[in-house]
Amino acid sequence: DAGVTQSPTHLIKTRGQQVTLRCSPKSGHDTVSWYQQALGQGPQFIFQYYEEEERQRGNFPDRFSGHQFPNYSSELNVNALLLGDSALYLCASATGTGLVTGNTIYFGEGSWLTVV
Amino acid sequence: DAKTTQPPSMDCAEGRAANLPCNHSTISGNEYVYWYRQIHSQGPQYIIHGLKNNETNEMASLIITEDRKSSTLILPHATLRDTAVYYCIVLKHDYKLSFGAGTTVTVRA
C-alpha cells in the first residue's frame, strides 16, 4: 500500500515563473491538504481539498491555488514565484472531513522548491 | 484550535525511555491530541493520537491526563534514529494541523 506520494522531489524555478506540484493521497483517502515549510520553521497550512473543492484555506495569497481530481489526487500551483516561496511543500491525506473524527493524517516526503 | 506548549529541546540516552510533555490547557471536548515527528528534510511522520484514553502502538505510548489539559508521549526505548523534532498538535475534525515549534529531541549514545 503506497503512502502519500509527491512529485517532483526537487525543483528550481526563477522568480516570476509558475510551478505545479503534484500529490497522490494514500489509498482510500479522499481529503488532501497542502502545507508550506520554510527552512527552520514548522509546516504552515495552505489549503485543503475534499470532493474536488477547496474546503479550507490558510493565510496564503491567491497566487497559491490548487485542484483536486476525481481520483482524489491533487495539484498545488504557485504563480509569480517570489524568492520567499522557496520551501518544502508537503501534502497530507486523510479520510473524510467534517464527518469522521480522529482519523490518521499521513504526510508525503515533500517537494523542495528553490526560487532563484 | 487549542494551542500547545512544548519544551524547545531535550536530550535522552540511547536505550532509555524518552518522555515528551505537552500542555494544551485550552483543549475542548472534541479535540484530539496528535503527535508527529520530523527528521531533518523529511515529511512529518505520524506517531500516535488520542482523545481521552491512553493509547499505545508499536512506536510509542500517549498518556493524556484526566482533565485533558496535558499529555506525555513516551518512546519506550529511544534509539539514535529517534532524534527528530516532535510536534504535539491539538486538532478538531477539520484536519487542519497547526504546527508549533515542537521539541527537538536528541538521543545520545
Side-chain angles (χ1 to χ4, degrees):
Chain A
D1 176 23
V4 181
T5 58
Q6 294 186 242
S7 63
T9 55
H10 295 80
L11 71 166
I12 300 173
K13 290 287 187 177
T14 304
R15 275 179 301 175
Q17 284 189 317
Q18 179 263 347
V19 68
T20 297
L21 308 178
R22 296 175 177 82
C23 172
S24 292
K26 182 177 172 62
S27 178
H29 286 186
D30 54 10
T31 300
V32 173
S33 300
W34 287 91
Y35 293 78
Q36 179 196 64
Q37 186 173 23
L39 204 59
Q41 307 289 322
Q44 299 295 312
F45 176 80
I46 302 175
F47 43 53
Q48 180 186 91
Y49 278 84
Y50 173 67
E51 293 186 333
E52 301 180 50
E53 291 188 10
E54 183 181 295
R55 298 290 178 160
Q56 297 191 81
R57 189 177 185 91
N59 189 25
F60 279 81
D62 292 343
R63 298 187 297 109
F64 289 78
S65 63
H67 188 77
Q68 185 178 35
F69 299 94
N71 67 353
Y72 309 125
S73 67
S74 177
E75 289 182 349
L76 164 66
N77 301 293
V78 186
N79 295 322
L81 284 167
L82 304 174
L83 295 180
D85 295 331
S86 296
L88 175 66
Y89 288 85
L90 296 160
C91 173
S93 76
T95 300
T97 186
L99 300 176
V100 181
T101 60
N103 287 336
T104 302
I105 305 164
Y106 292 99
F107 282 82
E109 291 300 325
S111 294
W112 280 100
L113 171 65
T114 300
V115 182
V116 297
Chain B
D1 291 336
K3 292 188 176 179
T4 62
T5 303
Q6 299 178 250
S9 64
M10 63 182 296
D11 286 356
C12 177
E14 188 178 23
R16 303 295 294 270
N19 296 308
L20 282 65
C22 179
N23 286 321
H24 31 79
S25 58
T26 60
I27 194 170
S28 59
N30 63 347
E31 291 181 319
Y32 282 73
V33 179
Y34 281 75
W35 283 84
Y36 285 83
R37 72 181 183 184
Q38 190 172 25
I39 298 169
H40 183 63
S41 299
Q42 298 181 16
Q45 179 187 21
Y46 167 78
I47 301 174
I48 199 167
H49 73 280
L51 182 61
K52 54 184 176 181
N53 297 319
N54 297 338
E55 302 287 346
T56 296
N57 62 20
E58 65 278 4
M59 288 184 67
S61 295
L62 174 61
I63 309 298
I64 302 174
T65 58
E66 191 169 347
D67 63 7
R68 302 208 327 120
K69 293 183 183 299
S70 66
S71 61
T72 300
L73 177 74
I74 301 173
L75 306 178
H77 304 286
T79 70
L80 298 179
R81 288 180 294 179
D82 292 323
T83 293
V85 178
Y86 286 76
Y87 296 100
C88 168
I89 302 166
V90 172
L91 180 68
K92 289 182 180 175
H93 55 73
D94 59 4
Y95 297 145
K96 178 182 172 183
L97 294 164
S98 295
F99 288 82
T103 297
T104 299
V105 174
T106 303
V107 180
R108 302 191 185 280

